Amino acid sequence: SVEDVYERAIVEIHPRRAKGSLAEIWISYSKYVEMQGADKAREILQRATACDFNSVDELANIWIAIGELELRHNSLTVAVNRV
């Protein structure tokens, strides 16, 4: 399944050796599962915050994605508190 491919990618790609943006894989994965519900997407992005990214910018992109997720689901207060 598509979810299995994403899970395999985030497990097998070493964050410090990644040539592209590992954050984009996490964000893309969360947007894909968001169709099933915001809770699953939140769980994925929360997991992403524990990743050892190459740069602070990538981690910042995860936190931006968390805020955008909450805004899409009309959770302004949650978005402000999380970011």
Side-chain angles (χ1 to χ4, degrees):
S1 76
V2 173
E3 288 184 47
D4 292 334
V5 172
Y6 276 116
E7 285 292 334
R8 200 168 107 214
I10 60 179
V11 168
E12 292 186 10
I13 297 172
H14 190 280
R16 293 291 179 177
R17 294 187 194 135
K19 297 297 180 195
S21 173
L22 186 56
E24 288 303 315
I25 293 173
W26 283 98
I27 293 166
S28 177
Y29 182 19
S30 73
K31 286 181 179 178
Y32 175 78
V33 299
E34 188 178 349
M35 294 181 285
Q36 301 169 18
D39 289 339
K40 178 83 173 170
R42 283 184 190 102
E43 181 264 325
I44 289 165
L45 290 172
Q46 190 60 44
R47 285 175 43 208
T49 63
C51 189
D52 187 23
F53 291 109
N54 278 327
S55 70
V56 174
D57 289 345
E58 284 197 277
L59 181 58
N61 287 337
I62 296 295
W63 283 106
I64 291 167
I66 289 170
E68 290 173 345
L69 170 70
E70 298 303 342
L71 290 174
R72 281 193 301 277
H73 292 276
N74 299 317
S75 302
L76 178 60
T77 304
V78 175
V80 169
N81 290 334
R82 300 250 355 239
V83 178

